[in-house]
Amino acid sequence: MARAAVEMGAWALASMRKNKSLASLLAESCAEPSDPRGSVETGIVIGVTGDSDALEMRVRDAIATGYRRVKLKISPASDIQSIRRVSDIAGNATAVDANGSFSIENPEHLRMLREIDALGMSMIEQPLPADAMTEHAELQRLLMTPICLDESISSVDSVEAMIGMKSALIANLKPGRVGGFTESIAIHDRCARAGIPVWCGGMLETGIGRAYNVALASLPNFRLPGDLSPSSRYWRRDIVTPPWTMSADGTLQVPVDRVGTGVKVDPEFVDGLTVRSLEISA
């Protein structure tokens, strides 16, 4: 992630020097150059709690707000009835993310995954541990629901393994995790050739990180809603202007008409939040 911060910053600097948007520079750098999309679909992540009524209310509110996908964080301890209620509300816009908490060797875990499979969701994200590529392939053969790999995707090599073993049908691409945009574009292009859609995962970014993710998500093979919630989802006030806002149709606008990332840091607001600083001179 440290490498990604420097590498992605270099891409933004290059886009400013070329007097074009970051999204446009990324789109031109793909194996099949294209124009970036003008908007990207966004999804919301919700934790499954013991209060099923409160969970149902949050899901209904998310759908009414316009989110294109509702993803539930689950584990083997989750209540299958609560998951079923959410699926009844959101239909195939529902997804679940297990963060590698299941084991294919555990009969109870496998039984629960089969119950989830019967609900007709859009995906089951990372059901098994990150290094369980072979086991994911075995599980995908047992399920109708597409498996999406997240933590398992760390490089083009891991994508090659996923494709070769048929471990999943979808990939979650996080540029910070794979070391930046150069590797992200290579993964995007490889998945496109294999017919595997990708989507952009989030990691609680401020508006700065959101700008980089939105630019990446505007590439053509990002065909599924990403974790690209508006600024107000996490912050009373973001540190960038303009803040990221979501349209009623559940999309964020890609600032293709603005040079660089499309947002600017509000230095006065950051100064007001700062408790410690370090200046490094070259």
Side-chain angles (χ1 to χ4, degrees), residues 192-253:
R193 291 196 301 273
I196 294 174
V198 298
W199 56 277
C200 189
M203 303 184 76
L204 294 176
E205 297 89 0
T206 65
I208 301 171
R210 183 71 75 236
Y212 287 87
N213 283 2
V214 167
L216 182 66
S218 68
L219 298 183
N221 196 41
F222 282 86
R223 292 185 275 141
L224 300 171
D227 292 338
L228 303 169
S229 294
S231 297
S232 59
R233 165 77 173 152
Y234 297 109
W235 316 106
R236 286 195 298 270
R237 178 180 172 183
D238 209 336
I239 63 174
V240 299
T241 57
W244 293 98
T245 58
M246 187 175 74
S247 303
D249 65 351
T251 62
L252 294 182
Q253 295 302 303

Side-chain angles (χ1 to χ4, degrees), residues 3-27 29 175 180-182 185 207-216 244 255 258-265:
R3 183 180 73 207
V6 176
E7 195 262 14
M8 292 161 70
W11 277 86
L13 179 61
S15 70
M16 289 187 284
R17 287 180 171 175
K18 293 176 181 290
N19 198 36
K20 59 181 60 179
S21 70
L22 176 59
S24 296
L25 182 60
L26 294 177
S29 304
F181 281 152
T182 303
I185 292 172
I208 301 171
R210 183 71 75 236
Y212 287 87
N213 283 2
V214 167
L216 182 66
W244 293 98
R258 299 199 291 272
V259 173
T261 63
V263 297
K264 294 183 178 180
V265 177

Side-chain angles (χ1 to χ4, degrees), residues 162-178:
M162 175 190 74
I163 294 170
M165 297 182 189
K166 300 182 179 179
S167 301
L169 300 177
I170 301 171
N172 176 354
L173 177 49
K174 293 176 178 173
R177 185 183 57 225
V178 302

